Amino acid sequence: MSSENLIVLPQTKQLIGLYSIIRDNATKRGDFVFYSDRIIRLLVEEGLNQLPVEDAVVKCYGDHEYKGSKFLGKICGVSIVRAGESMEQGLRDCCRSVRIGKILIQRDEETALPKLFYEKLPEDIHERYVFLLDPMLATGGSAMMAVEVLLSRGVKMDRIFFLNLLAAPEGIETFQAKYPQVKIITGGIDERLDEHKYIVPGLGDFGDRYYCI
Amino acid sequence: MVTHKGHRIHPDDENTSFFSPSPVPSFSGSGIQSRDNIHLASSLSLNDSSKLTRSNSVATNADIPSYTPPWTTPYIIGVAGYSGSGKTSISQRIIQELNQPWTILLSFDNFYNPLNKEQRQQAFDCEFDFDEPASLDFDLLCECVSSLKAGNKTEIPNYSFVDHNRTGKSSTIYGANVIIIEGIYALYDQRLLDMMDVKIFVDTDLDICLGRRLSRDILDRGRELMGAIKQWEKFVKPNAVRYVMHTMNNADLVIPRGMDNIVGINMMIKHIQNQLSLKSELHLEHLQRLGLTHDLNLSKKENIKILPSTNHTNGVNSILLSKDTDRTDFIFYFDIIAFKIIEHALEFLTEFEENIPISTYGNYTYNGMKSKDEIIAVNIIRSGDCFMSSVKKTFPEIAIGKLLIQSDSMTGEPQLHTESLPKSIKNVSKTGRKIFLFDAQIISGAASIMAIQVLVDYGISVKDIILCSYLSTEIGIRRIIHAFPDVKLVLGKVSSMNSSQEEGLVRGEVVDKIDGYNLEGFKDTDWVFSNRYIDSLYFGTD
């Protein structure tokens, strides 16, 4: 695993406390959503910390000036439907008018491989930093397909930030082998994948738990 | 005129009224000498308990360090004189000229003993001797003054001359820079004399006093000439000769002819001003020395967390500090920084139940943790309210207490106006609760110190208090830490102390650069750090 492009949120007791709630299969949906949202917010903030800013002279109240920073404002969220959409609000909470594109990838019933069904992305996405949103990085299949879509639209690989709540070592390995310059920002790395390609110990199907199906 | 202004250690305040001159600088209302009217204009800061509550609980004493903030060593001035000698006018003149924050005028009028029914009837018939020392509660006054001198929360009783009883209400005061004790018996009790820094006797001729008293009683208070003369003949003058006159020997300074003695009064005020600026200078020097010691290095102190400088926080700070930001953006980005500060504050909660087996979907087990602490939020109105939206987003069910601390617009003294704290706060230390105290800005630190003191008075251990603030001055933080070394602080942005000494300034900057919390080189005196603008912008009331 490349550590340079793998950013794991500091594993504070607070954070582990939050994960203890959302991993628990006895946790009710309201709490699951609330505490997931808090983790998502931390992921988004970490992502924003990675973005460059430009120097700017800030005129303070009281006519004092100092050399501050200005956001470049060239970001864009891309969520992988459906679970990734749960992270859009967290992004909006930090960047009010951020553009958000969507990609729908589903497993093809015949080939059992992920297949791109739909994409809707901002026209100028190639000029932007992209926050790719998908809560779980298990095998990395759909995320890699999404990155492929982004690259085909001219997005630079080192401008892609893949935000997820939980990742499996196998997934990170495969993903980074193919897209070494994409930055993975995750809240935690679990032990492994089981024979059904679920993350162990994991937290269940994020989309199902978040959207209550 | 106000020479000490340059030496003032806090070039700012929590409230805009702090430095405003005191046009009617009387502590407990304008009709302070009136015995016939309800004289308490200060309906603001009233507390239920009528008796003086001394806050020097065990916890408080243990928490007071070797350093004492200036308001715990108040300069105490005693002003005595016959009735009608003009001592109240002189006291007010002193307050005006000193223009010091946290000046308190303690009038003997609030320390009369409550009367019984019989005495009350006598009082209504002008037959009661109010001018005898026995009519005053010296014990209570001494207790109040020594409590203020110890820097404790002190309840000043209010006395009603309508009922001739304590009103059951009181004013709450924390600490003072200057205390003026004014009354005919101000220089009577040895215990009070021992606490005073300067003792003044206003020696006006008794005939003039009578003239003033008569015109005041008759013109201002609508009393009968005969009654007024009777009272003078029977009580006021005999007591003045018998008890008051010889207290002149206790005075450091006797001012003949009262207010008419302009030269004398000016000399007295000059002297007091010199004494106070000396005190300020000593204190400033003391602070500067402290400021350069290693263990007070803010970024190395374990109980202080300052938001690390990242691209995102730098960008958000630039928006919040810029005068070109509109209110919509300001509110949005303040909520973001508030969220960051709260998340940072959570790192102070370290008591966790560990190794809790959590069964996840798929019947795997996760080694979970659960915080043992419960959190109560307390915000200092109004600036702390800016955090509430973010607090609610982080802890939807949190109990929220509020404290309103403001400087009196007339006297400039800080007062605790309202405290509304959750009942559960009393059991805090027992159940492992933590108090998150919110104030958007720490300027002089006075409001925060007072708020912490209130919580301590509620029996909360200082180490369980986590004070969260966005913009903070170094001087404010140092004061808070000196007053309460164990309090925990989470700060968004910190400015650096201004120093009048070149050496200190340079050294201070070097330290900042190394520690990296104030790379922008903000100074405590910069407008954004010395003015409360955040809540005005956030709530749109500027």
Side-chain angles (χ1 to χ4, degrees):
Chain A
M1 286 185 240
S2 146
S3 56
E4 191 191 331
N5 288 328
L6 176 65
I7 298 157
V8 185
L9 291 185
Q11 300 293 298
T12 60
K13 289 182 176 180
Q14 281 297 334
L15 188 70
I16 292 170
L18 294 178
Y19 273 98
S20 301
I21 296 169
I22 64 165
R23 286 173 185 272
D24 193 336
N25 61 17
T27 297
K28 295 264 186 326
R29 180 171 165 253
D31 280 347
F32 180 84
V33 170
F34 183 83
Y35 292 102
S36 301
D37 282 348
R38 266 186 64 189
I39 298 172
I40 291 165
R41 175 94 184 229
L42 296 174
L43 289 168
V44 169
E45 296 216 339
E46 188 52 50
L48 293 171
N49 276 338
Q50 302 297 323
L51 293 182
V53 286
E54 63 181 11
D55 287 348
V57 173
V58 178
K59 284 192 177 128
C60 297
Y61 293 91
D63 287 331
H64 172 260
E65 284 185 3
Y66 85 101
K67 209 179 86 186
S69 309
K70 195 175 157 211
F71 294 130
L72 295 168
K74 290 205 168 286
I75 60 167
C76 155
V78 171
S79 57
I80 300 180
V81 180
R82 168 189 65 152
E85 289 174 305
S86 62
M87 300 171 77
E88 290 175 5
Q89 191 54 45
L91 181 58
R92 282 228 187 279
D93 283 344
C94 293
C95 320
R96 239 177 325 183
S97 50
V98 66
R99 285 157 202 264
I100 294 180
K102 298 203 188 231
I103 294 178
L104 173 60
I105 294 167
Q106 282 187 328
R107 197 181 289 249
D108 191 308
E109 298 291 334
E110 289 169 19
T111 62
L113 289 170
K115 186 182 170 191
L116 176 69
F117 276 81
Y118 168 85
E119 58 168 300
K120 186 76 184 169
L121 302 169
E123 278 303 312
D124 59 353
I125 194 165
H126 59 279
E127 294 171 357
R128 294 178 181 270
Y129 290 87
V130 175
F131 281 12
L132 181 62
L133 309 174
D134 196 10
M136 311 286 274
L137 169 53
T139 60
S142 30
M144 288 195 286
M145 180 161 278
V147 171
E148 210 54 60
V149 174
L150 296 175
L151 294 176
S152 72
R153 296 290 290 266
V155 180
K156 294 185 185 69
M157 202 195 288
D158 60 1
R159 291 193 175 186
I160 302 174
F161 297 81
F162 175 22
L163 273 52
N164 56 72
L165 281 93
L166 209 53
E170 296 91 329
I172 297 172
E173 200 98 23
T174 327
F175 187 92
Q176 288 201 321
K178 201 162 176 201
Y179 306 107
Q181 284 155 284
V182 173
K183 283 199 169 63
I184 300 176
I185 300 177
T186 184
I189 300 174
D190 263 7
E191 290 165 27
R192 60 187 169 88
L193 290 177
D194 68 7
E195 64 277 17
H196 307 292
K197 306 288 182 199
Y198 286 126
I199 300 177
V200 179
L203 50 72
D205 185 311
F206 192 93
D208 282 357
R209 295 190 72 191
Y210 199 95
Y211 292 110
C212 194
I213 291 172
Chain B
M1 172 196 73
V2 190
T3 50
H4 55 269
K5 204 154 195 167
H7 303 292
R8 190 166 281 154
I9 323 110
H10 26 84
D12 51 69
D13 191 48
E14 311 295 346
N15 291 287
T16 47
S17 62
F18 204 88
F19 277 161
S20 62
S22 329
V24 187
S26 137
F27 163 59
S28 56
S30 49
I32 205 156
Q33 305 89 10
S34 159
R35 291 179 185 171
D36 306 303
N37 307 321
I38 297 176
H39 65 291
L40 289 168
S42 59
S43 55
L44 297 157
S45 60
L46 302 175
N47 224 313
D48 282 331
S49 75
S50 62
K51 66 175 199 296
L52 171 93
T53 56
R54 300 192 60 188
S55 60
N56 47 353
S57 58
V58 180
T60 318
N61 284 343
D63 288 326
I64 290 178
S66 55
Y67 172 83
T68 41
W71 48 88
T72 63
T73 52
Y75 190 78
I76 302 180
I77 304 168
V79 181
Y82 311 120
S83 175
S85 62
K87 52 188 182 313
T88 309
S89 311
I90 287 182
S91 303
Q92 294 191 344
R93 177 81 195 282
I94 295 173
I95 294 171
Q96 264 167 357
E97 292 291 327
L98 293 186
N99 189 21
Q100 275 270 345
W102 298 29
T103 300
I104 292 168
L105 176 59
L106 280 184
S107 169
F108 266 72
D109 287 7
N110 281 322
F111 292 90
Y112 278 104
N113 283 316
L115 300 188
N116 62 31
K117 206 176 168 191
E118 197 184 323
Q119 293 168 323
R120 210 168 298 156
Q121 192 50 50
Q122 288 179 343
F124 289 131
D125 300 338
C126 295
E127 292 284 348
F128 187 79
D129 189 353
F130 279 107
D131 292 273
E132 186 185 44
S135 64
L136 289 159
D137 192 343
F138 283 100
D139 292 343
L140 182 60
L141 179 57
C142 286
E143 219 177 312
C144 277
V145 176
S146 53
S147 168
L148 281 172
K149 201 171 167 124
N152 289 329
K153 174 184 168 188
T154 306
E155 305 277 341
I156 307 296
N158 288 341
Y159 193 85
S160 159
F161 288 98
V162 170
D163 303 325
H164 293 291
N165 204 340
R166 298 203 174 114
T167 57
K169 295 171 173 176
S170 58
S171 313
T172 308
I173 295 176
Y174 277 92
N177 252 342
V178 179
I179 301 172
I180 300 178
I181 303 169
E182 176 256 335
I184 53 176
Y185 289 111
L187 303 184
Y188 182 80
D189 190 293
Q190 190 57 45
R191 291 169 295 173
L192 286 175
L193 290 170
D194 289 343
M195 287 190 275
M196 288 174 185
D197 292 285
V198 62
K199 308 175 208 52
I200 297 160
F201 191 93
V202 186
D203 183 24
T204 306
D205 190 88
L206 275 171
D207 292 341
I208 295 173
C209 290
L210 172 63
R212 278 220 199 102
R213 218 183 124 94
L214 287 180
S215 68
R216 186 174 69 195
D217 279 358
I218 295 164
L219 294 178
D220 299 347
R221 298 179 190 168
R223 286 169 59 174
E224 293 296 321
L225 175 66
M226 287 319 289
I229 289 183
K230 180 172 135 196
Q231 206 175 2
W232 175 268
E233 293 284 339
K234 196 165 174 188
F235 302 122
V236 183
K237 189 174 177 190
N239 281 320
V241 174
R242 191 169 158 203
Y243 297 115
V244 183
M245 195 179 275
H246 75 261
T247 68
M248 202 191 300
N249 295 331
N250 298 328
D252 302 315
L253 183 70
V254 177
I255 302 184
R257 304 190 307 281
M259 276 302 271
D260 299 336
N261 188 345
I262 293 162
V263 176
I265 290 172
N266 286 345
M267 282 173 72
M268 170 192 73
I269 285 167
K270 259 269 154 346
H271 172 79
I272 296 173
Q273 281 173 343
N274 285 341
Q275 292 297 308
L276 285 174
S277 29
L278 196 68
K279 187 185 150 199
S280 293
E281 269 175 71
L282 286 173
H283 180 239
L284 184 61
E285 274 175 35
H286 183 46
L287 280 177
Q288 278 172 343
R289 277 200 307 277
L290 282 171
L292 295 171
T293 58
H294 175 74
D295 64 333
L296 272 165
N297 191 329
L298 295 188
S299 64
K300 293 215 173 73
K301 214 153 154 49
E302 275 178 10
N303 52 341
I304 300 178
K305 285 187 195 292
I306 301 173
L307 278 190
S309 160
T310 65
N311 282 353
H312 190 232
T313 38
N314 289 347
V316 174
N317 284 334
S318 299
I319 291 168
L320 290 172
L321 295 171
S322 164
K323 65 176 179 185
D324 299 324
T325 304
D326 66 38
R327 275 196 61 226
T328 327
D329 281 344
F330 186 86
I331 294 166
F332 180 80
Y333 285 102
F334 189 84
D335 286 345
I336 285 180
I337 208 85
F339 186 88
K340 280 177 190 277
I341 290 168
I342 294 165
E343 285 290 345
H344 225 59
L346 287 173
E347 287 173 24
F348 275 125
L349 309 188
T350 48
E351 292 292 309
F352 275 76
E353 200 180 320
E354 298 191 25
N355 297 320
I356 309 170
I358 304 263
S359 38
T360 66
Y361 280 82
N363 285 327
Y364 297 110
T365 307
Y366 175 72
N367 230 350
M369 286 190 192
K370 193 170 184 280
S371 176
K372 288 181 183 168
D373 291 307
E374 257 189 81
I375 304 167
I376 292 176
V378 175
N379 57 331
I380 300 174
I381 299 170
R382 191 180 54 160
S383 152
D385 288 329
C386 307
F387 279 89
M388 283 308 107
S389 147
S390 301
V391 167
K392 282 284 188 185
K393 269 184 204 154
T394 317
F395 320 101
E397 296 164 341
I398 196 167
I400 298 176
K402 303 216 172 211
L403 296 172
L404 175 58
I405 295 170
Q406 276 193 322
S407 294
D408 187 298
S409 59
M410 302 296 250
T411 64
E413 70 181 85
Q415 289 178 322
L416 174 66
H417 289 282
T418 310
E419 42 181 321
S420 121
L421 298 172
K423 287 198 182 90
S424 53
I425 210 163
K426 298 229 171 191
N427 320 321
V428 163
S429 9
K430 288 173 200 152
T431 55
R433 284 198 179 87
K434 293 279 190 291
I435 310 292
F436 279 28
L437 180 63
F438 293 99
D439 195 0
Q441 286 177 277
I442 293 172
I443 301 174
S444 75
S448 304
I449 288 174
M450 192 175 279
I452 295 168
Q453 183 66 51
V454 173
L455 296 174
V456 167
D457 288 346
Y458 267 86
I460 293 157
S461 164
V462 173
K463 66 177 173 28
D464 289 331
I465 301 172
I466 300 166
L467 171 59
C468 304
S469 178
Y470 175 46
L471 296 181
S472 315
T473 61
E474 184 182 346
I475 185 72
I477 297 163
R478 285 184 191 280
R479 286 186 189 143
I480 294 167
I481 289 294
H482 289 147
F484 302 101
D486 293 331
V487 73
K488 298 182 168 65
L489 294 169
V490 184
L491 310 164
K493 201 92 203 100
V494 178
S495 59
S496 296
M497 207 157 78
N498 266 33
S499 168
S500 53
Q501 291 174 356
E502 275 304 303
E503 191 195 18
L505 195 112
V506 173
R507 264 199 258 170
E509 280 190 343
V510 170
V511 168
D512 292 344
K513 292 273 187 254
I514 294 168
D515 296 331
Y517 65 81
N518 183 15
L519 299 169
E520 298 86 348
F522 288 118
K523 293 281 165 208
D524 284 3
T525 44
D526 286 347
W527 195 92
V528 284
F529 282 89
S530 56
N531 288 278
R532 279 205 180 270
Y533 77 103
I534 291 180
D535 54 342
S536 303
L537 264 179
Y538 195 93
F539 294 110
T541 53
D542 47 347

